[in-house]
Amino acid sequence: MVKRDIYQEITNKIIKRLDCVDLENFKAPFAELAAQGMPLNPITGKSYNGINIPSLWIDQQEKSFNSPEWASYKQWKEKGAQVRKGEQGSLIVFYKTWNKQEEDEQGEQHNIQIPVMRLYTVFNADQVDGYESEGTLSLAQADLVTRIDHADAFANKTGANIQHCEARAYYNRTNDFINMPQTSAFLDTAHSSATENYYSVLFHELTHWAGAPHRLNRDKATSKTQQLEKYAFEELIAELGAAFLCAQLEIVQSPRDDHARYLKCWLQALRGDKSFIFKASAQAAKAIEFLNRFQED
């Protein structure tokens, strides 16, 4: 009986999808960003919408804010809080419709609706003094993740130091630990459930962890150009590793569409050469085999 090569099967499926991905209409897979919670305005009690959601997610991640609460300077002041001196705000976009009367060639009046875009600056709750959350995050904090015992056991047996210190996911190569947001921070998305998002992100970071210098020693570059290429290549490896482990542990039966989108985005940084997928696939398979050795009793 011929043994199935699950890694190659998944890689082939992703390769087929790459040509169908239109990067001009690319929407990043915000599983990691969505783990931070839906951006909310604690003064109005409403969630931000549209392009403001990913924009505030990215700012929250880049600035390492723990809170998903945002409000304007004036709104924080009305709440009795004060934005700290020197803090830089984040831009949001607000659209409203302006009604205007115009006369046509026949002299008849018509009501014309003109969309008007306005920019506002908001500040995160971590940038203000004198404010404590009053429970406006209850909706965002609802835990949608169903824990999967065998997947948790797999991660635990690796011995990886998995912490929950910040509302973002990353592998700290210097101090050799993985940070994961709490499960309650993960959301359902168009492509996958909160549970799938949680484990996909966890396995992504575990694949990074496996490549540390004292493990598989995936080398890092020195020049700026090499660093950019190595970073993109490492992200390909980690995303393929996540896809492999999700399939192996039967969390998902086939690679999600956002895996292909994410991979193609990084391929663009590598001059669009799909051969990098096969090279990354080999490294990802090596990482998963390394992680699997911890499961042997």
Side-chain angles (χ1 to χ4, degrees):
M1 182 177 178
V2 179
K3 185 178 179 181
R4 289 179 62 189
D5 187 343
I6 191 171
Y7 305 146
Q8 192 60 52
E9 287 181 21
I10 293 171
T11 302
N12 291 341
K13 287 181 181 179
I14 290 174
I15 285 288
K16 287 181 180 179
R17 295 187 183 189
L18 288 176
D19 291 331
C20 301
V21 174
D22 180 6
L23 284 181
E24 291 185 2
N25 296 314
F26 173 70
K27 295 182 179 179
F30 290 111
E32 182 177 333
L33 299 177
Q36 300 166 145
M38 187 65 70
L40 297 171
N41 186 310
I43 287 75
T44 65
K46 296 180 179 180
S47 299
Y48 290 93
N49 54 30
I51 192 62
N52 296 318
I53 296 173
S55 178
L56 292 177
W57 270 340
I58 291 169
D59 274 11
Q60 182 180 342
Q61 184 182 58
E62 289 183 347
K63 298 176 183 179
S64 297
F65 294 147
N66 291 314
S67 175
E69 296 177 281
W70 304 80
S72 68
Y73 185 95
K74 182 179 179 181
Q75 286 175 322
W76 283 125
K77 191 173 183 180
E78 291 173 353
K79 194 72 173 176
Q82 179 62 48
V83 176
R84 288 189 290 274
K85 186 176 180 180
E87 292 286 353
Q88 296 294 315
S90 300
L91 287 178
I92 62 168
V93 178
F94 176 72
Y95 291 94
K96 67 177 298 182
T97 302
W98 177 44
N99 294 319
K100 179 183 178 182
Q101 291 289 325
E102 285 192 356
E103 185 176 294
D104 62 19
E105 296 177 355
Q106 286 73 39
E108 296 182 1
Q109 293 289 327
H110 296 276
N111 185 41
I112 306 296
Q113 292 187 330
I114 303 174
V116 179
M117 181 183 75
R118 293 183 178 178
L119 297 177
Y120 292 90
T121 300
V122 293
F123 296 87
N124 188 272
D126 286 2
Q127 296 176 283
V128 306
D129 294 320
Y131 171 73
E132 292 185 8
S133 178
E134 299 175 352
T136 57
L137 303 183
S138 58
L139 179 61
Q141 295 298 319
D143 196 336
L144 302 177
V145 173
T146 300
R147 299 307 294 250
I148 301 174
D149 290 341
H150 68 272
D152 289 334
F154 182 96
N156 291 335
K157 284 184 177 180
T158 65
N161 180 5
I162 302 174
Q163 303 181 11
H164 301 83
C165 302
E166 297 181 49
R168 63 190 184 99
Y170 60 88
Y171 168 59
N172 185 310
R173 190 176 176 89
T174 302
N175 297 312
D176 194 29
F177 72 88
I178 291 170
N179 188 80
M180 284 291 293
Q182 300 291 340
T183 55
S184 59
F186 284 80
L187 304 174
D188 293 333
T189 64
H191 297 287
S192 52
S193 68
T195 299
E196 292 168 346
N197 284 331
Y198 171 77
Y199 285 104
S200 181
V201 172
L202 175 60
F203 296 154
H204 180 108
E205 302 307 335
L206 269 175
T207 307
H208 283 314
W209 177 87
H214 56 294
R215 297 189 185 95
L216 295 178
N217 193 26
R218 287 199 295 269
D219 61 320
K220 294 292 179 181
T222 53
S223 73
K224 187 173 182 180
T225 300
Q226 286 179 330
Q227 286 173 349
L228 290 172
E229 290 188 352
K230 283 290 184 181
Y231 182 75
F233 187 58
E234 178 66 18
E235 287 304 305
L236 287 174
I237 295 169
E239 193 65 8
L240 282 164
F244 292 166
L245 279 177
C246 281
Q248 175 182 308
L249 297 174
E250 299 183 336
I251 295 171
V252 293
Q253 297 303 314
S254 61
R256 306 194 311 265
D257 287 343
D258 58 347
H259 279 303
R261 291 187 177 91
Y262 191 62
L263 289 165
K264 188 164 185 176
C265 185
W266 287 114
L267 273 178
Q268 191 178 52
L270 294 166
R271 302 177 300 281
D273 186 351
K274 283 194 292 189
S275 68
F276 279 103
I277 280 284
F278 294 102
K279 296 173 185 176
S281 176
Q283 290 295 322
K286 188 176 180 180
I288 304 313
E289 289 166 3
F290 174 81
L291 295 171
N292 278 333
R293 288 202 290 272
F294 290 99
Q295 314 307 313
E296 300 171 359
D297 294 325

